[in-house]
Amino acid sequence: MAKQKLKDLNQEHIITWMDKLPDDEKNKLANQVLNLNIKQVVDLYNNLNKTFEIGNKKIEKISAIDIEKLSKEDFEKYKNTGIDVIKNNQYAVITMAGGQGTRLGHNGPKGTFMVHLNSGDKYLFQIIVEALQKANNKYSVTIPWYIMTSEENNDQTQAFLEEHNYFGYPKDSVKLFKQGKVPLISNKGKLLIGSNKLIKEASDGNGSIYASLKNDGILDEMKAKNIKWVFVGGVDNILLRIVDPLLLGVTISQNNQIASKSVKKANPKERAGVFCKIDGMPGIIEYSELPEEMAEERDEHGDLVYGDVNILSHLFSFDALEKLSNVKLPYHIAEKVSDYLDEDGNLVKPIEKNVYKFESFIFDAFSNYNEMSILRVQRSEEFAPIKNKEGVDSPETAVNLYNNAKSL
Ligand code: UTP
């Protein structure tokens, strides 16, 4: 049956491989073939031009609330609304930590990376735990913490947290769940065999979160706990404010189901995705897809019209997560370099990009709602990402920002 499936999808080279393997390895590979959605990836390959593209979609401005411009009364009102949610144990946090962190090049999951702050040496996961603990003490609660990992880094993440005793966080309030994956496909439309003699797969992007929350039973658990609002953030912004009643209050007051924080775009050329409306619905446009004249466009106050940078700081109602867990997101294509075993079992290490990786993005789901709340916050207080080994958005720049933030 596995062989027939491969034949039907033009992947006979895997059959040749299979036939050369000893029985146990052959069975493993055959099982993998039966379980994988190969048709989906072959279809994606055959329709490369139909994956997500801005193309001639209509891009328009989206409005945001600027924290600097809030009146004192509104600020207090929003904050109190949010505090009620947290105090009623209706708030949970998800850290997305399934990425590969290729640009940083750290040997291990990104959350296990250590930064040297004025206040001491800390792992990224530890910084998150400390923020949670601070909120727990303030509001007399224990916020459930979920961590999205991937097949590649789940075991290492689990072992690291065990080894550090979850940095003192109550263990039964921490749960890891694995995101989905898709097979890689070569630029010739062929599946690849990895050094474990199985078909190479890779994480399918952070948009995988919605389906994974459902498939891994997290939504059921949240429902049982009566969680009403869920914060979702990345693992690598050391100034990320993961428990902020203000964001909750703004979203609830605007009667929205989803919300994000943004920071003001530093200059028209900053390489960051910005919030906008795409064909009338909320979304994010990547810097590479935003036409130059739009990137430069300014409003009557001289501010960039597309000036709200995505900092991976999102809030969802539980109902929204439940709804979005059933939505199919579009795939974006990334071309990557991936080594593989050739027909003779030799490891090939290409220097040029040789595979397509399909990824979905968390923000593509926003378009399922007519409106969302966007709260523009101060960059210096809430955005210190670690993406690259050196230069922009590196440990060095992030640590400087962290050490200079006033609100810590
Ligand atoms: P990035 O897109 O910055 O990717 O992820 P990355 O893996 O950290 O780094 P590069 O691009 O390989 O250098 C933004 C956030 O989304 C998570 C990451 O862990 C990070 O918190 N993410 C990304 C996932 O959880 N799963 C994915 O498949 C991709």
Side-chain angles (χ1 to χ4, degrees), residues 8-74:
D8 292 346
L9 294 163
N10 254 329
Q11 304 295 327
E12 281 94 346
H13 64 296
I14 305 285
I15 304 181
T16 318
W17 240 104
M18 216 177 238
D19 288 340
K20 288 186 195 160
L21 291 172
D23 276 354
D24 55 334
E25 288 179 342
K26 187 185 288 186
N27 290 340
K28 265 196 203 155
L29 180 56
N31 258 330
Q32 188 197 21
V33 168
L34 290 175
N35 288 316
L36 279 185
N37 193 348
I38 302 173
K39 183 168 180 335
Q40 180 194 36
V41 78
V42 170
D43 283 351
L44 283 166
Y45 175 81
N46 288 332
N47 293 285
L48 281 179
N49 53 353
K50 288 200 199 128
T51 47
F52 189 86
E53 244 182 66
I54 287 292
N56 48 14
K57 291 189 172 72
K58 192 167 174 204
I59 307 299
E60 290 167 297
K61 178 189 166 56
I62 194 166
S63 54
I65 289 195
D66 191 333
I67 196 172
E68 302 268 275
K69 294 185 184 144
L70 279 179
S71 68
K72 211 172 161 13
E73 296 78 62
D74 278 347

Side-chain angles (χ1 to χ4, degrees), residues 121-171:
D121 290 350
K122 281 175 192 162
Y123 297 104
L124 300 195
F125 278 135
Q126 184 177 7
I127 293 174
I128 296 172
V129 169
E130 288 181 3
L132 283 166
Q133 275 163 334
K134 201 167 155 190
N136 287 347
N137 291 337
K138 192 162 175 185
Y139 304 116
S140 311
V141 292
T142 303
I143 296 171
W145 182 34
Y146 298 93
I147 305 169
M148 181 166 85
T149 62
S150 57
E151 191 64 49
E152 290 104 322
N153 74 12
N154 181 73
D155 294 353
Q156 262 181 300
T157 305
Q158 178 91 47
F160 175 84
L161 291 170
E162 289 282 345
E163 185 193 328
H164 292 274
N165 193 26
Y166 293 79
F167 297 101
Y169 210 72
K171 203 175 148 179

Side-chain angles (χ1 to χ4, degrees), residues 143-213:
I143 296 171
W145 182 34
Y146 298 93
I147 305 169
M148 181 166 85
T149 62
S150 57
E151 191 64 49
E152 290 104 322
N153 74 12
N154 181 73
D155 294 353
Q156 262 181 300
T157 305
Q158 178 91 47
F160 175 84
L161 291 170
E162 289 282 345
E163 185 193 328
H164 292 274
N165 193 26
Y166 293 79
F167 297 101
Y169 210 72
K171 203 175 148 179
D172 54 359
S173 294
V174 185
K175 194 155 198 170
L176 276 59
F177 68 100
K178 278 193 230 172
Q179 70 170 94
K181 48 191 179 155
V182 279
L184 292 170
I185 194 158
S186 79
N187 46 19
K188 309 237 162 40
K190 301 294 176 196
L191 298 171
L192 300 176
I193 295 286
S195 35
N196 59 359
K197 298 183 185 148
L198 293 171
I199 292 167
K200 286 199 92 165
E201 295 178 82
S203 298
D204 58 353
N206 60 20
S208 178
I209 187 169
Y210 305 108
S212 308
L213 281 172

Side-chain angles (χ1 to χ4, degrees), residues 96-104 110 148 179 203-206 233-236 312 336 357 359 387:
M96 295 194 293
Q100 288 176 299
T102 12
R103 286 169 287 171
L104 182 63
K110 230 185 198 182
M148 181 166 85
Q179 70 170 94
S203 298
D204 58 353
N206 60 20
V235 71
D236 51 15
L312 251 180
K336 302 259 171 179
K357 183 173 184 238
E359 291 183 314
K387 297 288 180 194

Side-chain angles (χ1 to χ4, degrees), residues 49-60 276-281 284-285 289-291 294 306 330-332 364 367:
N49 53 353
K50 288 200 199 128
T51 47
F52 189 86
E53 244 182 66
I54 287 292
N56 48 14
K57 291 189 172 72
K58 192 167 174 204
I59 307 299
E60 290 167 297
C276 62
K277 286 217 163 172
I278 304 174
D279 278 348
M281 305 305 245
I284 287 171
I285 181 162
E289 291 170 321
L290 186 67
M294 289 179 116
Y306 300 95
Y331 278 109
H332 299 246
D364 279 330
S367 62

Side-chain angles (χ1 to χ4, degrees), residues 143-371:
I143 296 171
W145 182 34
Y146 298 93
I147 305 169
M148 181 166 85
T149 62
S150 57
E151 191 64 49
E152 290 104 322
N153 74 12
N154 181 73
D155 294 353
Q156 262 181 300
T157 305
Q158 178 91 47
F160 175 84
L161 291 170
E162 289 282 345
E163 185 193 328
H164 292 274
N165 193 26
Y166 293 79
F167 297 101
Y169 210 72
K171 203 175 148 179
D172 54 359
S173 294
V174 185
K175 194 155 198 170
L176 276 59
F177 68 100
K178 278 193 230 172
Q179 70 170 94
K181 48 191 179 155
V182 279
L184 292 170
I185 194 158
S186 79
N187 46 19
K188 309 237 162 40
K190 301 294 176 196
L191 298 171
L192 300 176
I193 295 286
S195 35
N196 59 359
K197 298 183 185 148
L198 293 171
I199 292 167
K200 286 199 92 165
E201 295 178 82
S203 298
D204 58 353
N206 60 20
S208 178
I209 187 169
Y210 305 108
S212 308
L213 281 172
K214 179 172 154 183
N215 299 338
D216 298 350
I218 306 296
L219 287 183
D220 287 340
E221 186 182 303
M222 286 180 175
K223 196 175 215 158
K225 286 186 196 269
N226 197 28
I227 298 296
K228 299 284 185 222
W229 290 94
V230 182
F231 178 83
V232 180
V235 71
D236 51 15
N237 170 10
I238 54 176
L239 279 178
L240 183 69
R241 218 168 271 182
I242 56 183
V243 187
D244 187 356
L246 190 69
L247 182 65
L248 274 163
V250 166
T251 316
I252 293 167
S253 306
Q254 290 193 325
N255 210 7
N256 280 329
Q257 303 292 310
I258 48 176
S260 293
K261 281 188 176 175
S262 70
V263 296
K264 190 174 170 180
K265 198 172 178 186
N267 61 68
K269 300 216 163 19
E270 184 182 356
R271 291 155 70 95
V274 290
F275 289 90
C276 62
K277 286 217 163 172
I278 304 174
D279 278 348
M281 305 305 245
I284 287 171
I285 181 162
E286 290 293 354
Y287 66 88
S288 50
E289 291 170 321
L290 186 67
E292 202 184 325
E293 63 279 12
M294 289 179 116
E296 302 275 354
E297 197 178 335
R298 292 186 185 264
D299 65 13
E300 64 277 19
H301 309 291
D303 293 329
L304 293 173
V305 170
Y306 300 95
D308 280 290
V309 166
N310 172 30
I311 59 167
L312 251 180
S313 171
H314 308 303
L315 179 73
F316 298 86
S317 70
F318 175 79
D319 293 347
L321 286 182
E322 204 164 39
K323 169 177 161 164
L324 297 174
S325 69
N326 295 311
V327 165
K328 242 187 140 25
L329 294 181
Y331 278 109
H332 299 246
I333 314 166
E335 286 185 76
K336 302 259 171 179
V337 179
S338 175
D339 50 25
Y340 61 96
L341 298 181
D342 68 12
E343 314 78 273
D344 303 319
N346 301 314
L347 184 68
V348 183
K349 288 187 164 195
I351 346 172
E352 309 233 314
K353 291 174 178 168
N354 63 322
V355 294
Y356 292 111
K357 183 173 184 238
F358 298 101
E359 291 183 314
S360 60
F361 295 159
I362 183 168
F363 54 73
D364 279 330
F366 297 168
S367 62
N368 287 279
Y369 286 86
N370 290 323
E371 303 292 339

